[in-house]
Structures are given as C-alpha cells and as structure tokens.
C-alpha cells in the first residue's frame, strides 16, 4: 500500500484515506430513489380490505385517547375551584349565599298595617265607583234607575258635583257675570259698619291669569254656586222647588268664607249680615259683526242674609 506524503500538514499513516471515506456520506444517499410503481391489488385482496375496518389515523387515535375536559357547571357556586390544585389561588373558596332583597311599598309593612292599607284602598275604590256611577246616572237620559232613585242621585250630586251641557249649546253665553258681596260687621266696641262691594269674581280672575294649573275652586266654585242659585230662583229672587233653600245656604257659605279669608271684619270683628249681587256686562261683539248691544252693566241685588254663628268661618265650625 502506498503511503502518500502530503507534506507536513497532511495526515500521516496508512488509514488516512479510509477515515476520509468513512466520514464522507455515500453517494447513493444523496440521489433520491425512483418510486416503485405499486401494482394494482387483486380482486380478492380488495374484498378483504372492504370487510376489514380501516385502521384509525394516528392523530385521531391520539385525540380519542386523550381525556376530554368536562365544562364547568355554571350553577354550581364552587365549580370553579373543584379542579384547582391544592394551594391554588381559588382553593377552598365558597361563594356567600344571596341576601334577600328588601321589601318596599305595602309589602314592607307589618301584617296588621297591610290589612289596614288593604281596607283603606277598598273603601277608596268603592267610593270612586259610587261617585262615577252617580255622575253617569245624573247626566244620562231618563231611565228606570233615575226614575226610581232620582232623589238619591240628586242628593249626591247637588250642589258640589252638578253637571250641565251649556258648553255644547248652539248659542253660548255672551256675557260676563261678576259676583260681588258686601258685609255688615259688628266691631269690637259694639258698633256696626257696612263694607264696600268686594268683586269676588275679579279676585278669581286675577288668581287664574298667568296660572298654568289653576285650582278648580278658583275657576268654578263661585260661578257654579251663582248658576245654581239663579236656576232655583225666579226673577224676584224667590226659591222655586225644594233646592232653593239649599242653593242659598251653599252660596252664603262660599261668600262668608271668602270674606273671612280677606279679614274683612278686622281684629275682633264679626260678620253679621251679607248682601250678594251680580254684575252682568255684555261681551263686545267682533268687528265684523253688525250686532248692537248695550255695554252698560246690569245689577241683580239680593236681600240681606243673616249669618248664623256656625257660618262665621265659612261653616267650618
């Protein structure tokens, strides 16, 4: 065997070329082999493959063999901490029970007060139903019920809840009617004096003017009391029917109450008698109208009424 001397830097010895061949990769590994053509299987082998179940894929086998994680039960208050290891951040935690919401309204009352509230609501509901029924029968056309119980219906309606249909009249009122009153007062020293005329309708008008939500008393109480009086009295101010005396009492109490609010009698004074009158003035016709009316006021004065002791404060005593 020849020994190659490659100089001082080349490997020495007879095994140098063999070691180089061992370190170099074989030439057949670097060249890919041609794929061998698969021969078509025989019919008998196809039947065998059809009868036998296909082998599962590796990835499917791995996924099926792996244990599935069960979803946590959302309704279980401690379900989040079941799978935690001992000493974990949520180990041993137990959710607190929900506190009942505080009761409100009638439910917050004791049973005794709940019974009282229920009875009060029942009484109010019955009173409202009776009132609505009475008003309906009052404004309804004459029928069997109104003929049989007409007096009871009138006693309930008059004078505070009277209803009428003047708003739908073909020729509505075209007059301004003002109710005025004056009083005879007994002073502290035993003397007597007569006041001037107080325009109560003008006071109501000033209270309504500019008020978005005027009260029912300011709008209708005095006006309806005067309408009630004129409907139950003739032109000589004599009562007609059984409701004449009732209308006088109703109007007198309203007027005396207004005088007491205005402190007409003064300190220590007492209202002994009152006199009521109405001032009627025609409404000015529009410019396009040819109607001619008198603009002079017309007065209707009633006689003096004595004020009983129980009505010196509007009948409240």
């Amino acid at each position: 065997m020849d020994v190659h001397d490659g100089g001082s830097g080349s490997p020495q010895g007879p095994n140098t070329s063999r070691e180089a061949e061992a370190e170099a990769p074989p030439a057949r590994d670097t060249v890919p082999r041609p794929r061998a053509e698969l021969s078509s299987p025989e019919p008998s082998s196809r039947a065998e493959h059809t009868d036998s179940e296909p082998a599962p894929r590796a990835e499917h086998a791995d996924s099926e063999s792996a244990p599935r994680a069960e979803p946590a039960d959302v309704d279980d208050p401690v379900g989040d901490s079941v799978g935690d290891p001992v000493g974990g951040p949520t180990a041993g935690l137990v959710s607190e029970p929900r506190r009942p919401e505080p009761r409100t309204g009638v439910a917050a009352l004791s049973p005794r007060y709940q019974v009282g509230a229920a009875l009060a609501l029942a009484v109010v509901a019955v009173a409202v139903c009776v009132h609505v029924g009475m008003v309906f029968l009052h404004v309804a056309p004459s029928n069997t019920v109104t003929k049989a119980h007409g007096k009871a219906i009138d006693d309930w309606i008059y004078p505070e809840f009277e209803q009428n249909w003047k708003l739908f009249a073909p020729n509505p009122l075209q007059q301004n009617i003002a109710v005025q009153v004056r009083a005879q007062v007994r002073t502290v020293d035993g003397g007597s004096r007569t006041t001037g005329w107080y325009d109560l309708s003008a006071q109501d008008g000033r209270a309504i003017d500019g008020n978005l939500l005027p009260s029912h008393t300011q709008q209708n109480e005095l006006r309806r009391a005067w309408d009630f009086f004129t409907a139950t009295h003739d032109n000589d101010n004599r009562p007609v029917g059984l409701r004449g005396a009732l209308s006088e009492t109703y109007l007198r109490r309203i007027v005396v109450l207004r005088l007491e609010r205005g402190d007409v009698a003064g300190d220590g004074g007492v209202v002994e008698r009152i006199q009521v009158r109405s001032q009627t003035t025609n409404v000015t016709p529009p410019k396009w109208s040819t109607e001619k009316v008198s603009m002079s006021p017309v007065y209707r004065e009633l006689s003096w009424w004595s004020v009983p002791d129980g009505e010196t404060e509007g009948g409240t005593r």
Side-chain angles (χ1 to χ4, degrees):
M1 181 176 294
D2 297 335
V3 177
H4 176 72
D5 189 2
S8 61
S10 61
Q12 301 293 330
N15 297 331
T16 303
S17 59
R18 293 180 179 180
E19 292 176 359
E21 291 178 355
E23 292 178 0
R28 57 186 179 87
D29 294 338
T30 58
V31 179
R33 296 180 180 180
R35 296 181 180 180
E37 295 181 0
L38 298 178
S39 60
S40 58
E42 297 298 329
S44 59
S45 62
R46 290 182 180 179
E48 293 176 358
H49 286 285
T50 304
D51 296 338
S52 61
E53 295 181 359
R57 296 182 180 179
E59 55 182 4
H60 286 228
D62 296 339
S63 61
E64 291 179 358
S65 60
R68 296 183 180 179
E70 296 294 335
D73 190 2
V74 295
D75 296 332
D76 188 4
V78 296
D80 296 337
S81 60
V82 172
D84 293 339
V86 179
T90 59
L93 294 181
V94 179
S95 62
E96 297 182 357
R98 295 182 179 179
R99 298 180 180 179
E101 297 181 357
R103 296 181 178 180
T104 58
V106 180
L109 302 176
S110 61
R112 181 177 60 181
Y113 288 103
Q114 288 182 1
V115 173
L119 292 177
L121 292 176
V123 171
V124 172
V126 171
V128 171
C129 293
V130 171
H131 178 70
V132 172
M134 288 294 187
V135 173
F136 173 77
L137 294 174
H138 175 70
V139 301
S142 179
N143 53 70
T144 304
V145 178
T146 55
K147 291 179 180 178
H149 306 283
K151 187 178 183 303
I153 296 174
D154 291 342
D155 292 342
W156 181 276
I157 295 297
Y158 294 108
E160 287 83 1
F161 308 114
E162 182 183 2
Q163 306 291 323
N164 62 76
W165 302 102
K166 289 184 179 180
L167 176 64
F168 306 100
N171 188 19
L173 294 176
Q174 300 179 4
Q175 297 173 335
N176 290 325
I177 302 176
V179 179
Q180 302 173 352
V181 63
R182 63 178 178 177
Q184 186 175 356
V185 180
R186 185 178 72 248
T187 59
V188 180
D189 54 3
S192 179
R193 65 181 179 89
T194 302
T195 64
W197 290 100
Y198 292 91
D199 195 339
L200 303 181
S201 298
Q203 296 177 4
D204 290 344
R206 288 191 295 268
I208 295 173
D209 189 17
N211 188 354
L212 297 178
L213 299 173
S215 66
H216 179 74
T217 57
Q218 294 170 347
Q219 298 179 83
N220 301 319
E221 185 181 47
L222 181 63
R223 178 180 61 86
R224 297 299 300 126
W226 180 254
D227 290 344
F228 184 33
F229 177 86
T230 57
T232 56
H233 289 72
D234 57 15
N235 294 331
D236 296 329
N237 300 327
R238 291 188 298 239
V240 178
L242 300 177
R243 294 189 295 163
L246 177 62
S247 64
E248 292 182 4
T249 303
Y250 183 57
L251 179 61
R252 184 177 66 246
R253 287 182 177 180
I254 292 176
V255 170
V256 172
L257 181 60
R258 295 289 187 90
L259 295 177
E260 290 293 334
R261 289 178 180 175
D263 196 16
V264 174
D267 296 337
V270 178
V271 176
E272 291 184 333
R273 297 196 306 168
I274 61 171
Q275 185 180 20
V276 182
R277 75 176 184 181
S278 65
Q279 178 183 340
T280 304
T281 307
N282 293 321
V283 178
T284 305
K287 296 180 180 180
W288 48 264
S289 176
T290 59
E291 184 180 3
K292 302 296 182 181
V293 296
S294 175
M295 301 305 299
S296 300
V298 178
Y299 295 95
R300 179 179 178 177
E301 291 187 3
L302 307 183
S303 58
W304 285 89
W305 289 339
S306 298
V307 180
D309 295 338
E311 293 182 5
T312 53
E313 293 185 359
T316 57
R317 282 198 263 177

